[in-house]
Amino acid sequence: AEGLVEEMLSTDCAVEPDLITFSTVLKGYCHAGCLEKALQMLASIKSRGLRCDELVYNTLMDGCVKAHDLSTGVALFGEMVGA
């Protein structure tokens, strides 16, 4: 899935990834314990001007709990509430 998103992000690809595409890959990263990659996916979502929904934040906060990274989880919760 990661390679597919990278291909979609290439300049010569006619298919644009949407929030569902990004959130699906982000969820996979969180389930695999790859929180840093999930957070990079969050940055990609934001850089493309997409607005994160509750599902994205919930998935990321769950990933933070699994990774024992409470400070990032609390920061994401604050970001979600402020959005």
Side-chain angles (χ1 to χ4, degrees):
E2 181 179 16
L4 183 60
V5 171
E6 288 175 8
E7 185 178 329
M8 291 171 79
L9 292 173
S10 70
T11 56
D12 58 343
C13 185
V15 179
E16 286 282 323
D18 59 8
L19 185 60
I20 295 170
T21 306
F22 284 115
S23 64
T24 301
V25 176
L26 186 145
K27 185 174 185 175
Y29 285 146
C30 286
H31 283 314
C34 301
L35 183 59
E36 284 303 316
K37 285 190 172 191
L39 293 171
Q40 290 171 2
M41 191 62 55
L42 174 65
S44 294
I45 291 169
K46 292 177 179 178
S47 72
R48 299 186 69 78
L50 299 172
R51 185 164 187 228
C52 296
D53 61 10
E54 295 84 8
L55 179 62
V56 169
Y57 283 112
N58 185 48
T59 301
L60 283 168
M61 287 185 285
D62 185 54
C64 289
V65 169
K66 289 178 182 175
H68 305 286
D69 188 348
L70 296 180
S71 62
T72 301
V74 169
L76 286 167
F77 179 76
E79 185 179 312
M80 178 185 72
V81 172

